[in-house]
Amino acid sequence: MDFKLLKTDTQTSARAGVITTDHGQIETPIFMPVGTVGSVKGVSHRELENDINAQIILGNTYHLYLRPGLDVLKQAGGLHKFSSWERPILTDSGGYQVFSLADMRKLTAQGASFRSHIDGSPHLFTPENVMDIQRTIGADIVMAFDECPPGDADYEYARKSLDLTEKWLERCVQRFDTTEPLYGHSQTLFPIVQGCVYPDLRKRAAENVQKYNRDGYAIGGLSVGEPAEVMYQMVEVVNSILPKNKPRYLMGVGTPENILESIALGIDMFDCVMPTRNGRNGMLFTSEGIINIRNKKWQTDFSPIDPFGPTFVDSRYSKAYLRHLFIAGEMLGPQIASIHNLGFYLWLVKEARKHIVEGDFLPWKNAMVKKVSKRL
RNA sequence: GGGGAGAUACCAAAGUGGCCAACUGGGGCAGACUGUAAAUCUGCUGGCUUAUGCCUUCGUAGGUUCGAAUCCUGCUCUCCCCA
């Protein structure tokens, strides 16, 4: 993997760049749609490629390991071939499931033992086998196995958790660097900076990950319950330490506002379930603000969903029709909303990139933040 | 013509003397959702701007009772069976 920094903003820390992988290029800053089990829920590949212009999507190690399982993935020739997705893929390590499935796992120095949320069967994730699983999945970018502690973790817990994440990182790198990709394209490993909401821990973590000299670095453990302001402070602390010539990936973030502010702080990559999950639940993100399409106020609003939006659904379908689909429980509703939201997210980061390159990012960003966070 | 059953809030449907402004489901209205156990979950749904408070409600008109959606009587309407 290669990263070229094309432009750094003069008024903010925003950057525009290009990542090159064996499956193609990614223009940063970028938003990566989440496709946990090898599918961006409710959205077809054709729509992802042609309408949304997704340049890279996510998969999840834990979920793909349980279903369809490693045998199937291996026989298929990896996730790219299995799912017929020829652009880049990034897989999360299952570290987030250490957090979200906390009541079904146990942490030890060795790793994390899970009970499957599907059938209750026991499984052990270690830094080593998580690297092996991600080799089998075959993502272009694979993530280190970490612990993602909750946003309200106290200092003692946060410190111990970071100790664990750092030990696991050492083992992840060791394993990754002594194994080979299985399908003829190269893979790269991103470490994850943890440390909760404690600046000194974040600082220590950001310094620690650099000794492995990887192609990119991620910031994890944010947007897990802490206030947005605290998240921005942590991003600032970490980004002041991470090398400038490597992409920085803020995991799991976020709202359009979060993304714009984090781009200004020097983040290059984002992923979040919000455009798809909230979309399925009737929430539309637009350049004019946030819409709950189920609300009665849209019942007879026959104007397009988003007249200047980038995807075909934006101009083709009206708000009233989309509301009707949601109220009637038609699955087309969530599909349209997901396509719209992803199209908007990709449009937003593309615009941000354009303004970084053109040199007027800051005023554009400030005006945009105001608009996108408004409730309509 | 004869016999039987029933009328409860937007709909369906519990409740058959006080714990009933009334279970539950649907519908409606609103909210939540940030490296996806989510096409999920939560709240409200007679009125009074808030209520452990007040007022009006269980077809309708009366009655019994300290107290009635619940018991009694008349009326209206609906459904089923037999002719």
Side-chain angles (χ1 to χ4, degrees), chain A residues 213-233:
Chain A
N213 190 32
R214 310 311 297 192
D215 292 333
Y217 300 94
I219 305 174
L222 292 175
S223 65
V224 283
E226 81 288 354
E229 279 312 314
V230 173
M231 172 171 81
Y232 299 144
Q233 285 164 21

Side-chain angles (χ1 to χ4, degrees), chain A residues 82-224:
Chain A
F82 181 56
S83 65
S84 181
W85 176 258
E86 294 177 352
R87 297 184 186 180
I89 294 175
L90 179 153
T91 40
D92 184 32
S93 61
Y96 187 77
Q97 280 62 46
V98 173
F99 160 70
S100 66
L101 301 174
D103 52 338
M104 298 171 75
R105 57 90 171 134
K106 199 177 255 172
L107 287 183
T108 65
Q110 195 193 1
S113 54
F114 284 98
R115 291 212 157 267
S116 158
H117 70 278
I118 299 165
D119 62 7
S121 56
H123 302 271
L124 176 66
F125 268 23
T126 65
E128 289 79 15
N129 72 14
V130 165
M131 291 303 102
D132 295 346
I133 295 167
Q134 291 187 99
R135 287 288 193 200
T136 303
I137 296 169
D140 301 272
I141 300 172
V142 312
M143 300 306 299
F145 188 52
D146 63 337
E147 188 198 356
C148 178
D152 58 359
D154 62 40
Y155 187 85
E156 241 343 80
Y157 185 97
R159 193 182 56 75
K160 282 184 186 153
S161 170
L162 181 58
D163 289 346
L164 187 67
T165 288
E166 290 184 341
K167 277 180 197 144
W168 284 0
L169 175 60
E170 173 79 40
R171 290 162 58 190
C172 284
V173 171
Q174 167 66 22
R175 182 60 153 239
F176 187 81
D177 286 350
T178 54
T179 54
E180 293 294 324
L182 302 178
Y183 310 115
H185 62 267
S186 63
Q187 297 180 281
T188 189
L189 168 67
F190 280 20
I192 302 171
V193 173
Q194 288 289 351
C196 297
V197 297
Y198 306 104
D200 65 309
L201 294 182
R202 286 283 171 185
K203 193 161 173 280
R204 168 189 138 191
E207 279 158 2
N208 176 68
V209 295
Q210 287 187 67
K211 69 185 189 206
Y212 300 104
N213 190 32
R214 310 311 297 192
D215 292 333
Y217 300 94
I219 305 174
L222 292 175
S223 65
V224 283

